[in-house]
């Protein structure tokens, strides 16, 4: 027998289809719609055989997670303590809090997981299939999504979501957080101002992107900055900034724009500074020549 949540979910989806709403681009109207449907269902359930709705606010939240969010994963995306989410198989969903991993009680089916990945990729313009078994993409909230599918993986697709949590926006804020000493911040600030080449390296979740954003905040405002990234992550608070990201090949295998190409194009755009993220491949050679 269908639950109250299932009935409300079905009615909301039908109304969204009829009204031509997009839950991702029209979240406000969808939120109002869900509350109206839940209120109407509550009234009807009092005089019919419909299953009782229980906590109306909880149903509203669950339906919104289903139709306008990412289902069972949305609670972790909304949790400020969760830094990363990864799925080894549909029944094994992990999260990291304060650098420690834990296995959650969330269990998905293979179909649910595939549907969630498709929804996560919808706004990125990127795809994953047998010809492109890896994908890097940015989710609407700025989180970074990485997916690998079989037969690269043994049986199930592997999903990793790294939440973008920018805890500092300047070197002074890093000092306030205790990440840097005041002397180190002043040295880095002087290095940026004088135009020295700076390499930021470290392990996963070490804070490389946060540090790079803070370093970029020390660039003089009069300078023109060109950024090249696999996926947009940098947020540079300057007036003259052009941001570029890589592009996957199309279904015919053409149209790919690798990071090395972006570095070459950046040189033609009158840059005062070039900022390159995620240096892993042949673009290292071009950066060595620039240095």
């Amino acid at each position: 027998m269908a639950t109250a949540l299932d009935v409300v979910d079905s009615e909301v989806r039908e109304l969204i289809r009829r009204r031509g709403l997009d839950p991702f681009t029209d979240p406000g109207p969808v939120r109002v719609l869900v509350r109206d449907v839940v209120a109407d269902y509550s009234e009807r359930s009092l005089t019919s055989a419909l299953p009782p709705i229980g906590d109306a606010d909880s149903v509203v939240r669950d339906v919104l997670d289903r139709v306008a969010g990412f289902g069972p994963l949305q609670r972790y995306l909304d949790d400020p303590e969760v830094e990363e989410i990864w799925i080894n198989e549909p029944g094994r969903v992990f999260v990291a809090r304060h650098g420690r991993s834990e296995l959650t009680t969330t269990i998905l089916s293979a179909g649910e997981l595939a549907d969630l990945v498709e929804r996560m990729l919808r706004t990125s313009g990127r795809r994953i299939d047998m010809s492109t078994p890896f994908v890097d993409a940015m989710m609407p909230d700025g989180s970074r999504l990485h997916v690998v599918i079989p037969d690269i993986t043994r049986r199930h697709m592997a999903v990793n979501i790294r939440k973008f949590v920018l805890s500092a926006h300047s070197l002074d804020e890093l000092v306030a957080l205790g990440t840097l000493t005041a002397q180190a911040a002043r040295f880095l600030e002087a290095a940026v101002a004088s135009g020295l080449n700076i390499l930021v390296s470290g392990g996963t979740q070490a804070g490389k992107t946060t540090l790079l954003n803070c370093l970029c905040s020390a660039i003089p405002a009069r300078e023109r900055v060109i950024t090249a990234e696999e996926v947009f992550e940098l947020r540079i608070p300057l007036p003259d900034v052009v941001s570029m990201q890589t592009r996957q090949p199309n279904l015919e295998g053409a149209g790919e724009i690798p990071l090395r190409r972006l570095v070459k194009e950046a040189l033609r755009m009158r840059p005062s500074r070039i900022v390159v993220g995620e240096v892993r491949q042949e673009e290292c050679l071009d950066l060595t020549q620039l240095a």
Side-chain angles (χ1 to χ4, degrees):
M1 181 178 177
T3 65
L5 177 61
D6 292 332
V7 174
V8 172
D9 178 85
S10 177
E11 292 181 359
V12 167
R13 290 179 187 276
E14 178 62 21
L15 288 171
I16 287 175
R17 184 188 66 79
R18 289 182 185 177
R19 299 180 185 183
L21 297 175
D22 186 332
F24 289 96
T25 59
D26 302 313
V30 170
R31 191 173 294 108
V32 172
L33 174 63
V34 171
R35 293 191 178 278
D36 289 344
V37 171
V38 168
D40 177 68
Y41 181 96
S42 297
E43 291 184 8
R44 285 186 288 132
S45 66
L46 296 176
T47 57
S48 68
L50 290 171
I53 200 166
D55 184 355
D57 289 339
S58 176
V59 172
V60 169
R61 183 172 60 252
D62 289 343
V63 172
L64 282 172
D65 286 349
R66 287 187 179 190
V67 302
F70 298 108
L73 301 183
Q74 191 62 46
R75 73 182 79 167
Y76 306 122
L77 293 168
D78 293 337
D79 187 341
E81 292 189 350
V82 172
E83 303 156 349
E84 199 161 355
I85 306 161
W86 63 95
I87 304 170
N88 295 344
E89 57 184 75
R92 298 183 68 81
V93 179
F94 293 81
V95 299
R97 287 187 174 91
H98 308 296
R100 294 181 176 273
S101 64
E102 58 184 74
L103 177 63
T104 71
T105 57
T106 299
I107 297 177
L108 306 169
S109 69
E112 284 179 311
L113 180 56
D115 179 63
L116 284 173
V117 169
E118 182 180 345
R119 287 159 63 186
M120 290 174 188
L121 290 173
R122 185 182 303 166
T123 58
S124 72
R126 301 195 173 193
R127 71 178 202 285
I128 191 165
D129 52 36
M130 294 303 293
S131 63
T132 311
F134 306 95
V135 69
D136 261 313
M138 187 173 70
M139 293 170 58
D141 67 350
S143 298
R144 183 163 182 175
L145 172 69
H146 181 75
V147 184
V148 187
I149 61 173
D151 58 353
I152 301 300
T153 55
R154 186 183 294 273
R155 288 186 58 195
H156 304 285
M157 62 172 61
V159 180
N160 185 280
I161 303 170
R162 189 182 306 167
K163 292 171 66 176
F164 184 73
V165 182
L166 189 59
S167 57
H169 300 81
S170 67
L171 292 172
D172 287 336
E173 290 185 20
L174 289 179
V175 173
L177 290 169
T179 304
L180 288 178
T181 64
Q183 293 82 357
R186 298 291 76 79
F187 171 79
L188 290 172
E189 191 173 58
V192 172
S194 59
L196 297 181
N197 294 311
I198 299 176
L199 175 66
V200 179
S201 66
T204 302
Q205 292 292 93
K208 299 185 296 297
T209 302
T210 297
L211 177 57
L212 186 52
N213 273 293
C214 292
L215 288 171
C216 289
S217 71
I219 297 174
R222 67 182 180 277
E223 296 193 1
R224 176 172 170 79
V225 179
I226 313 297
T227 69
E229 306 174 78
E230 286 188 351
V231 177
F232 290 128
E233 288 187 298
L234 296 174
R235 301 178 183 180
I236 302 178
L238 293 172
D240 192 358
V241 179
V242 175
S243 301
M244 299 186 292
Q245 72 172 359
T246 59
R247 187 173 71 191
Q248 289 182 297
N250 59 24
L251 293 174
E252 290 75 35
E256 181 181 13
I257 306 294
L259 193 57
R260 189 177 193 183
R261 172 69 181 277
L262 296 183
V263 174
K264 292 171 67 176
E265 294 300 322
L267 292 170
R268 299 169 178 163
M269 300 172 71
R270 197 182 179 278
S272 303
R273 311 274 180 142
I274 298 177
V275 182
V276 183
E278 302 289 349
V279 178
R280 292 192 179 104
Q281 300 183 65
E282 62 271 14
E283 60 273 2
C284 298
L285 300 174
D286 299 290
L287 295 179
T288 301
Q289 293 172 1
L290 290 173

